[in-house]
Amino acid sequence: MTFRDPGAQEGLLSPIWAGRDTHTSDAAVLQAMIDAEVALARAQADLGMIPATAAGAIEGLRSSVGPADLAERAREGGNPVIPLVKAMTEAAGPAAGPYVHLGATSQDILDTALMLVAHRTLGPILDDLAVSARALGRLAAEHRATPMPGRTLTQHAVPTTFGLKAAGWRSLIIDARARLDRVRRSLPVQLGGAAGTLSAVEAYGGDLRLLGAYARQTGLAEPTLPWHVLRTPIADLGAALGFAAGALGKAAADVLVLSRTEIGEVGEPTGGGSSALPHKNNPVRATLIAAAARQVPALTAVLLGALAAEDERPGGAWHAEWQPLRESLRLVGGAAQAAAELMTGLRVHPDRMRANLGLTGGLIVSERLVAELTPLIGRAAARRLLDEASREGVPLAEAIAGRTPLEEGRLAEIMDPARYLGLAPALVDRALADEEDP
Amino acid sequence: MTFRDPGAQEGLLSPIWAGRDTHTSDAAVLQAMIDAEVALARAQADLGMIPATAAGAIEGLRSSVGPADLAERAREGGNPVIPLVKAMTEAAGPAAGPYVHLGATSQDILDTALMLVAHRTLGPILDDLAVSARALGRLAAEHRATPMPGRTLTQHAVPTTFGLKAAGWRSLIIDARARLDRVRRSLPVQLGGAAGTLSAVEAYGGDLRLLGAYARQTGLAEPTLPWHVLRTPIADLGAALGFAAGALGKAAADVLVLSRTEIGEVGEPTGGGSSALPHKNNPVRATLIAAAARQVPALTAVLLGALAAEDERPGGAWHAEWQPLRESLRLVGGAAQAAAELMTGLRVHPDRMRANLGLTGGLIVSERLVAELTPLIGRAAARRLLDEASREGVPLAEAIAGRTPLEEGRLAEIMDPARYLGLAPALVDRALADEEDP
Amino acid sequence: MTFRDPGAQEGLLSPIWAGRDTHTSDAAVLQAMIDAEVALARAQADLGMIPATAAGAIEGLRSSVGPADLAERAREGGNPVIPLVKAMTEAAGPAAGPYVHLGATSQDILDTALMLVAHRTLGPILDDLAVSARALGRLAAEHRATPMPGRTLTQHAVPTTFGLKAAGWRSLIIDARARLDRVRRSLPVQLGGAAGTLSAVEAYGGDLRLLGAYARQTGLAEPTLPWHVLRTPIADLGAALGFAAGALGKAAADVLVLSRTEIGEVGEPTGGGSSALPHKNNPVRATLIAAAARQVPALTAVLLGALAAEDERPGGAWHAEWQPLRESLRLVGGAAQAAAELMTGLRVHPDRMRANLGLTGGLIVSERLVAELTPLIGRAAARRLLDEASREGVPLAEAIAGRTPLEEGRLAEIMDPARYLGLAPALVDRALADEEDP
Amino acid sequence: MTFRDPGAQEGLLSPIWAGRDTHTSDAAVLQAMIDAEVALARAQADLGMIPATAAGAIEGLRSSVGPADLAERAREGGNPVIPLVKAMTEAAGPAAGPYVHLGATSQDILDTALMLVAHRTLGPILDDLAVSARALGRLAAEHRATPMPGRTLTQHAVPTTFGLKAAGWRSLIIDARARLDRVRRSLPVQLGGAAGTLSAVEAYGGDLRLLGAYARQTGLAEPTLPWHVLRTPIADLGAALGFAAGALGKAAADVLVLSRTEIGEVGEPTGGGSSALPHKNNPVRATLIAAAARQVPALTAVLLGALAAEDERPGGAWHAEWQPLRESLRLVGGAAQAAAELMTGLRVHPDRMRANLGLTGGLIVSERLVAELTPLIGRAAARRLLDEASREGVPLAEAIAGRTPLEEGRLAEIMDPARYLGLAPALVDRALADEEDP
């Protein structure tokens, strides 16, 4: 059975996923619920529980109910499956009608539908994350030794390289992708009947083989137990989506800083405009990703909190999962796509990085000076010299001129930030070697 | 200028507000944004900043853009106002076009629109809460001395009255209503221009009087300062909505417990059905309210977290408010309506309460026995007697028979749970007298 | 009765409140529980429920139990009041012992104690916020027209003034202070007995007057009803603390940005050092405030979520409040004190602000150019000219030279960022006039 | 170097972990920081970076600083490592002092210390979860066919078995244990130096081999990259702890329901007492576990939110992790231990389960009747009959007497709830076979 409506979406207040809602719109959720009912009938026909003709008839149904209609009728019983089953049963007529939803409970269908929605949404998300990871792999390799200021607590610390920064973003995104991929492979069908005992399945002649048959029909995994109140799949999804939002949010946070007017070390491929200012070139993708990263962890908390649910179906905890799960999928989906655009087109400005390295007048290499002076004058004296020199308000080279045993040429070399990259290039190589492109 | 579309809503996974989305749908948000632009033009015309004819023309526009269209174009610049202004300017033509959005920034319009959305949504919410409060006032008065078990940590403690329980729910709902009402009265227009200095307003000949004129046109409050990054209104809304969800959630939590098959002391007006079980009579309103109460506090946390936003407009924190604010309004709106239905039709079963009072075989009045025996045999001995008797596994009357100096008639009186209501009826009277019906 | 121990605190992982834990340490909480028991006895003596000598004896007790001891014994019954009552009763001996905790339940004492803890902690918090507000009032007045770049989505937008920024911080802090002050004044005593009916109070001869007498003894407010499961005070506290953390977090977020090595427009009074780098001068107060602002909203969500609690005392929701409430008080207390230090000693660098205003080569006043050119060449042409000029990569003055009808002197004036402050100074005056110093 | 203080703990408001704080107290955290410094020196000695005698001297230090002292001095620089390094350097004297903390930054030590704390805390947690899982395996096997009411949305649905419920709890706890175990094995040392480039390590003659040597000294894993701002380990810990709290919270939620006075199907090994009521027997372990399950997800959200951190060390996001991570470890640790006690001593009452199965007067098997009648009279007629009969308010057997073609004996058999267990026993067997005892 198929259902398609014009696909009204509601993204005016969520630009990050607006227009990219293929698998999570109300219409898509409704289709997934129908897919779950059809798969159940087909699985039951495979095992001889119901006539093959009934399964065929159910599959061939054309329904006139739309999502808005079902949504409104969902309130009466608390979920949208009840009116859907009613509509499907009526549409199927007296011959096939009795075989619609046989042995199932509403939660079996809605949970399975949400697993399908998650499975379908995560496909493009994994792809988008792979695009980002590959783009960042290229950036990391290209800029493995491109010097830029390392910043801690907002202040220049010691130099780093842009390649190491890109390798770090890539590492997080690969971690996020691995977690989402692992969860996606484990998403199970749901089938337990009224209270998780498969009582009606047995009463209508079925047995535990139905779990596997149903899983095969949907492409989802077969669970060990009905998981009506064992919400591992939802909690794992929530955790992995929260992680992914944060991983993308890290890169976005850096792009926002590095795009600042005063810093200008990177730029978005194309900036966002403004309704008021002709010259604005806003880091809009990073902004929207950052906005997603602020929302998803709270939704994850709702999903984790729903684990602690009483009885064989709780009064509230289950219902509280649906919208946060959808919203998390949407936000991460939008953020993954925005990140793919951002990373493939990121503009990197080594000249600005080089210029910014000079801003502290040499203090950015003060650590190195301590290290170089330690064998010559002792660590304590070296640290004391630099502490004092740092506070004099003049360029460091000037402040320490004549106060160290280092000769001038060596001092100039030591004080070149571009020559104080530590093991950054080697770390980039190590990261690219250890974690392959997805 | 008006805009109306068929009003596609997206509530399939949020039955509590599905079909009740008048003021929070994408179409309603778009209308509110248009209302904000029109109000701004009218306010500017009032002060002579722009020609009255231009304001009239802007007000009379008919726009062909719809919310889905704008939503999709919102991604480019990060918010939906940018494409809206473009569409309105084009529609207004060369004469009125230059006066559209004059001196404003996108955030001025979107913030004002969200305040209008909140103001409009909170109206019916206040009404629904008042309906609940009045219904509970009646229930509290009627059942001020209707005995039922008081339960702590799931165990019968001492008797209470259903009236005191209803008075408690009412008190929380009145508190919630007062907080929402206070916030609603304070919701301000937003107007600050590009960076909150009203620079373009001044450049086009305006001054601070525009804030008041704009406020009058919208019916919202006049702020002291532009609040682009002073998010008191959003945070206050979030906190009050979180409180309201929790207040309603308390009543729902109790209804869920008291509706249990084993307890049966209250019932919903009409129960929800089941797709599997003919006999089910589920407390569906309480379930959906409980689900809302699990979601809103997390959204409140996002809104409170957005207070800590950098600069004159942050890269992410502002954008992260929009959807959580809408979702909170929707959930509380749905929950308030469900609660109004629930409280006006709640079925109360004093007979079941009375029966349940007997379940502990008298232990529910053990506290009273200690109190009565203390003057006779001392507190320590009384407590020791009851401690022992409680553990004997027989009805308390039997366990203590002959072991107290109390005569039989007096003992029977003391052991009647219905005569051990403490100050519950007086507390009901006090609550009803102290807090008037809204 | 008094209790004092050496006051072991646990702040190694919370530097913001470490060493400033006077009213929230375990020892302080224990003292508050004892204060609650003593106040109850005194109130009961006032009303003649118990002998005055018993109240006096209870007040004069010296206890040997310490917080670690009670904490460990708290697990058995789930709260620390049970072992405390046992210890106090034993210490009071046979004469006064029976009057310890008379008619009360554990929750009465722990809730009242936490209200005392909150009341005591909020005192210095209100003071610290007032210090910040006054310091910011001075900064706002002093810098009402000190120009600096206004920044939106990380990019220079139009000029603003540092005074307006300071006035904004002040406004939020005044809002936070008002909310905390309002909640503090409303914090009530708790007294309801076993299930909120004051059953044992009545059984021992008391009546509703005890609520008022108890309130007077503690200095807290008198509640209308026992609020064992009507958690308005906790929810209001949580919301106000979440607001305060966010309000302080806004100022901290700005200080972090403005302290950046590349920006340097403000500095902390004294910076934090580093274990590795001699030159580091970290914005450490802003960092710790920002860290607090990331934690408190989540704790607020826990407290709001605890509203939805079943029965006359819930199995979990009440116990889940204690530590998040204490942690919120600590974090806000530490942040308020850090902010007071930060704001009273903040170093402001108008020269760096002025220099940064020049970074966009004039684009920061492009809005003004559109406004000035609109009457001369029309809005559309003006906007088009600036759009093009903005993209040419040369200073704006150069890009538009000879392309406008403006004469050179006027153009120079228009392009001076320091002369495009909009209504910023007037807004500062308005804010200082509208909201008085606390 | 060792450090031990009397171990002041602060658990008065967290009874679940009070007195069980071995690895998370301030003293334990300080010891872990010292362990990290010593391990670093030993690793450097192994590689010849520093003299072996220096490493030995550092290891042998006796320090006079205590956690309260360090905590207070932590505020100045924002973290406790800075004063610790100062104290250790002084204590080590001129010979070994220069080799303390060589090439490291504060974050290297604090992150490594927190990984050690997590590693040490998770050991007993894994053990406690295994105890619970094994106890539940025994309960599941023993009660695989012990009938009890299955409850959905608080109402009796169809029968289930207590074994299936226990198998479900076990499954969640095994899932939680697997997630924590996986994270524990991956916990890495931290070493990156001032900005994650290992600059000073290289300056002092070290190279990437130091990462492995350091890891070996601590027993932690070797990371690919320094993870100062790649917070996968913290986020993974947060997610797994949030999951564990929820998994334990599910079992606690069920125990709370099933312990209700009206239900009485299970009981805690020993109940908690009351300060007011002699007879109370509270499910105190379940209550404290439920309280933990309400807190940890919010802390997880803080930890996930901290992923989105700017720069090479952020101003706030890092500092915001410390206390929520410790609190999560404590809460889960306490909950795991309480669950182990609860599950090993749980009292199960099959007689009460059997009695409760009769409460609906047969409606609990109405689903079965529909299934049995469908072949005889058609599904629609069967469902209609049961719908009507369910509403008649008399026992179902009476309501349908004479209205079905079923003979009396068969009807009695069908209506025996104990004979309608569906596939529950088979599902128990499957779960026990699929998931081995840990």
Side-chain angles (χ1 to χ4, degrees), chain C residues 8 10-12 15-16 18 20 26 75-76 101 106 260 275 284 287 294 305 311 315 319 323 327 330 334 337, chain D residues 8 10-12 15-16 20 26 71 75-76 101 106 256 260 275 284 287 305 311 319 323 327 330 334 337:
Chain C
E10 184 139 301
L12 198 64
I16 199 159
R20 286 158 180 84
D26 265 15
R75 208 186 193 196
E76 194 186 339
H101 193 67
S106 301
R260 283 196 167 272
S275 70
V284 68
T287 292
R294 282 174 164 267
D311 293 342
H319 307 71
Q323 185 70 9
E327 192 70 16
R330 285 170 161 175
Q337 193 184 44
Chain D
E10 183 139 302
L12 198 64
I16 199 159
R20 286 155 180 85
D26 265 15
R75 206 184 193 194
E76 194 185 339
H101 194 67
S106 301
L256 287 168
R260 282 195 168 272
S275 70
V284 68
T287 291
D311 294 342
H319 307 71
Q323 186 69 9
E327 192 70 17
R330 285 171 160 175
Q337 192 183 46

Side-chain angles (χ1 to χ4, degrees), chain B residues 58-99:
Chain B
I58 291 168
E59 191 168 359
L61 288 178
R62 289 281 170 275
S63 169
S64 60
V65 293
D69 185 30
L70 284 183
E72 202 156 343
R73 289 156 65 192
R75 208 186 192 193
E76 195 186 337
N79 75 62
V81 178
I82 300 173
L84 174 65
V85 170
K86 195 157 179 290
M88 289 182 73
T89 303
E90 283 166 11
Y99 301 107

Side-chain angles (χ1 to χ4, degrees), chain B residues 3-347:
Chain B
F3 164 82
R4 290 283 172 229
D5 81 345
Q9 298 167 339
E10 184 139 302
L12 199 63
L13 298 181
S14 288
I16 199 159
W17 58 258
R20 286 160 179 84
D21 195 22
T22 319
H23 301 302
T24 55
S25 68
D26 265 15
V29 172
L30 173 53
Q31 183 63 56
M33 294 195 300
I34 293 170
D35 293 346
E37 293 283 7
V38 169
L40 179 63
R42 289 172 53 122
Q44 290 174 332
D46 279 359
L47 299 179
M49 271 181 73
I50 71 169
T53 50
I58 291 168
E59 191 168 359
L61 288 178
R62 289 281 170 275
S63 169
S64 60
V65 293
D69 185 30
L70 284 183
E72 202 156 343
R73 289 156 65 192
R75 208 186 192 193
E76 195 186 337
N79 75 62
V81 178
I82 300 173
L84 174 65
V85 170
K86 195 157 179 290
M88 289 182 73
T89 303
E90 283 166 11
Y99 301 107
V100 169
H101 193 68
L102 192 75
T105 192
S106 301
Q107 188 174 2
D108 294 333
I109 299 307
L110 190 48
D111 279 349
T112 301
L114 289 176
M115 293 300 97
L116 288 170
V117 163
H119 200 272
R120 291 165 186 175
T121 308
L122 287 172
I125 290 176
L126 294 179
D127 292 345
D128 280 330
L129 294 176
V131 168
S132 282
R134 289 193 296 265
L136 288 168
R138 289 190 297 271
L139 284 171
E142 181 182 353
H143 294 288
R144 67 187 284 284
T146 302
M148 67 181 287
R151 297 170 174 97
T152 59
L153 305 193
T154 75
Q155 305 300 299
H156 286 197
V158 295
T160 185
T161 74
F162 182 69
L164 183 54
K165 194 175 267 276
W169 298 346
R170 178 178 176 270
S171 172
L172 274 181
I173 287 172
I174 287 176
D175 283 350
R177 193 178 182 280
R179 277 150 188 73
L180 289 170
D181 190 39
R182 184 164 61 202
V183 174
R184 184 172 185 249
R185 288 172 198 280
S186 72
L187 296 175
V189 286
Q190 175 67 286
L191 190 65
T197 64
L198 289 162
S199 52
V201 164
E202 193 197 30
Y204 290 106
D207 56 36
L208 287 183
R209 290 174 305 148
L210 183 57
L211 286 173
Y214 186 30
R216 280 189 297 280
Q217 285 293 340
T218 56
L220 296 170
E222 179 183 353
T224 296
L225 292 177
W227 47 282
H228 291 160
V229 280
L230 310 174
R231 309 303 284 172
T232 299
I234 301 291
D236 281 351
L237 263 173
L241 290 165
F243 187 97
L248 296 168
K250 160 58 179 165
D254 280 340
V255 170
L256 287 169
V257 166
L258 300 180
S259 303
R260 284 196 166 271
T261 302
E262 288 84 358
I263 299 180
E265 298 180 3
V266 307
E268 295 220 356
T270 55
S274 155
S275 71
L277 301 176
H279 69 279
K280 280 302 279 303
N281 204 353
N282 291 320
V284 68
R285 288 173 199 79
T287 293
L288 295 180
I289 296 168
R294 283 174 164 266
Q295 295 174 70
V296 181
L299 302 172
T300 299
V302 175
L303 297 178
L304 290 173
L307 280 164
E310 72 283 1
D311 293 343
E312 276 59 66
R313 182 163 313 121
W318 175 48
H319 306 71
E321 292 170 357
W322 310 339
Q323 186 68 9
L325 177 58
R326 163 155 76 176
E327 192 70 17
S328 299
L329 286 166
R330 284 171 160 174
L331 288 168
V332 171
Q337 194 185 43
E341 287 172 24
L342 177 58
M343 295 313 171
T344 49
L346 192 74
R347 291 180 295 147

Side-chain angles (χ1 to χ4, degrees), chain C residues 144-179:
Chain C
R144 67 186 284 285
T146 302
M148 67 181 286
R151 297 170 174 97
T152 59
L153 305 194
T154 75
Q155 305 299 298
H156 286 196
V158 296
T160 186
T161 72
F162 182 69
L164 183 54
K165 195 175 267 277
W169 298 346
R170 177 178 177 270
S171 172
L172 274 180
I173 287 172
I174 288 175
D175 283 350
R177 193 177 182 282
R179 277 149 189 73

Side-chain angles (χ1 to χ4, degrees), chain D residues 147-149 265 349-359 416-418:
Chain D
M148 67 181 287
E265 298 181 2
H349 305 301
D351 53 326
R352 290 294 299 266
M353 295 172 179
R354 197 69 185 80
N356 289 337
L357 280 167
L359 286 177
D416 179 2

Side-chain angles (χ1 to χ4, degrees), chain B residues 153 383, chain C residues 76-79 82, chain D residues 271-275 277 280-282 284:
Chain B
L153 305 193
R383 176 86 191 221
Chain C
E76 194 186 339
N79 76 61
I82 301 173
Chain D
S274 155
S275 70
L277 301 175
K280 279 301 278 303
N281 204 352
N282 292 318
V284 68

Side-chain angles (χ1 to χ4, degrees), chain A residues 148-198:
Chain A
M148 67 181 287
R151 297 170 174 97
T152 59
L153 305 194
T154 75
Q155 306 298 298
H156 286 196
V158 295
T160 185
T161 73
F162 182 69
L164 183 54
K165 194 175 267 277
W169 298 346
R170 178 178 176 270
S171 172
L172 274 181
I173 288 172
I174 287 175
D175 283 350
R177 193 179 180 280
R179 277 149 189 72
L180 289 170
D181 190 38
R182 185 164 61 202
V183 174
R184 185 174 185 249
R185 288 173 198 279
S186 72
L187 296 175
V189 286
Q190 175 67 285
L191 190 66
T197 64
L198 288 162

